[in-house]
């Protein structure tokens, strides 16, 4: 997921959480929205990690989009951090510090589940794309060498 989409999801969930807390709901009744928000924040963090280490072919052939993706990821990370600070303050003020600790425990579980499922699949896709690209580049290189040798043989140079 790109950082802009992840941030939009996080912002939507965050606004629903704020409305719920303002209406007097407790943390337990907000688990669904908090889970969506945490998942989107996890996606933002992952997109930052991905932007800091783009695939080799993206670096070579999409240079400007790499910089734009890095800027989007940075801005999304800062916005997610601001949302987290506001949510922490709200929960500490309304429900006490133990509620924030409960939230952090839930966040660890969500992040672990997400990394095991979604991110592993994406890493596999990135790996396959890189390997496929390297193999194709190798085949093109070998083909160019063979073509050059064949051309020299046809002209009688070799």
């Amino acid at each position: 997921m790109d950082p802009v989409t992840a941030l939009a999801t996080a912002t939507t969930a965050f606004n629903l959480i704020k409305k719920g807390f303002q209406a007097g709901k407790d943390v337990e009744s907000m688990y669904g929205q908090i889970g969506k928000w945490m998942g989107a924040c996890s996606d933002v963090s992952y997109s930052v990690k991905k932007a800091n280490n783009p695939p080799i072919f993206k670096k070579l052939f999409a240079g400007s989009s790499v910089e734009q993706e890095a800027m989007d990821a940075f801005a999304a990370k800062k916005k997610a951090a601001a949302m987290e600070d506001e949510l922490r303050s709200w929960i500490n003020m309304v429900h006490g510090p133990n509620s924030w600790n409960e939230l952090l425990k839930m966040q660890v579980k969500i992040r672990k589940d997400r990394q095991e499922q979604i991110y592993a699949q994406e890493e596999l896709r990135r790996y396959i794309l890189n390997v496929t690209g390297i193999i194709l580049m190798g085949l093109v290189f070998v083909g160019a060498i063979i073509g050059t040798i064949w051309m020299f043989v046809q002209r009688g140079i070799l």
Side-chain angles (χ1 to χ4, degrees), residues 2 12 26 48 50 53 58 60 84-85 94 136 145 157:
D2 68 295
T12 302
D26 59 357
V48 169
K50 211 169 64 171
N53 188 18
K58 192 168 191 176
L60 294 174
E84 183 176 350
D85 288 341
V94 174
L136 288 175
I145 291 174
I157 297 175

Side-chain angles (χ1 to χ4, degrees), residues 14-125:
F14 180 74
N15 290 336
L16 289 172
I17 292 166
K18 278 177 54 175
K19 287 179 185 176
F21 284 149
Q22 288 170 348
K25 292 184 179 180
D26 59 357
V27 174
E28 291 80 14
S29 67
M30 300 297 295
Y31 277 159
Q33 289 303 321
I34 292 172
K36 283 184 183 179
W37 175 76
M38 288 181 168
C41 287
S42 180
D43 288 340
V44 168
S45 296
Y46 184 70
S47 67
V48 169
K49 177 183 167 191
K50 211 169 64 171
N52 289 336
N53 188 18
I56 189 166
F57 292 102
K58 192 168 191 176
K59 287 180 191 176
L60 294 174
F61 299 115
S64 63
S65 71
V66 171
E67 283 81 14
Q68 182 63 43
E69 186 177 335
M71 289 301 297
D72 290 344
F74 177 76
K77 180 181 176 185
K78 291 298 182 183
K79 178 70 175 171
M83 285 189 281
E84 183 176 350
D85 288 341
E86 187 176 343
L87 185 59
R88 180 186 311 116
S89 297
W90 182 267
I91 289 175
N92 284 338
M93 183 174 57
V94 174
H95 299 286
N98 288 337
S99 295
W100 183 251
N101 291 336
E102 290 175 28
L103 183 64
L104 292 179
K105 288 177 187 175
M106 189 172 64
Q107 184 179 24
V108 167
K109 183 184 180 320
I110 290 169
R111 186 172 289 142
K112 182 180 177 185
D113 292 346
R114 213 165 173 71
Q115 286 173 346
E116 289 174 358
Q117 295 172 0
I118 296 171
Y119 300 150
Q121 291 173 357
E122 187 166 330
E123 287 297 321
L124 179 63
R125 272 188 242 122

